[in-house]
Amino acid sequence: MHSGQELLAKNSHVINELHAWAQELSKKILLKTVNLYIVHGNIRDFLPHRDIAGGFAFVRIRDYISELFR
């Protein structure tokens, strides 16, 4: 089993491409400082996102969040 620090280092190239709030959330979850998060507002909105391959798309926020934890 990997420690949070190891997972953070292993996935840093992906995490660094996320929006600032998603980076913070990912780091807190990997380091096990949080295990519950609440999303409020209109989660059916779309978010501009550039993936690690350089592609750009507008994705649904709820889909974006669900992809963080796969």
Side-chain angles (χ1 to χ4, degrees), residues 24-58:
E24 182 179 350
L25 180 62
S26 297
K27 289 175 184 177
K28 287 181 177 183
I29 289 173
L30 285 175
L31 297 173
K32 297 185 173 145
T33 57
V34 299
N35 61 3
L36 175 70
Y37 58 95
I38 297 172
V39 178
H40 62 91
N42 189 355
I43 62 169
R44 290 187 175 90
D45 280 349
F46 288 86
L47 178 73
H49 175 66
R50 184 173 307 282
D51 61 26
I52 59 173
F56 181 83
F58 285 93

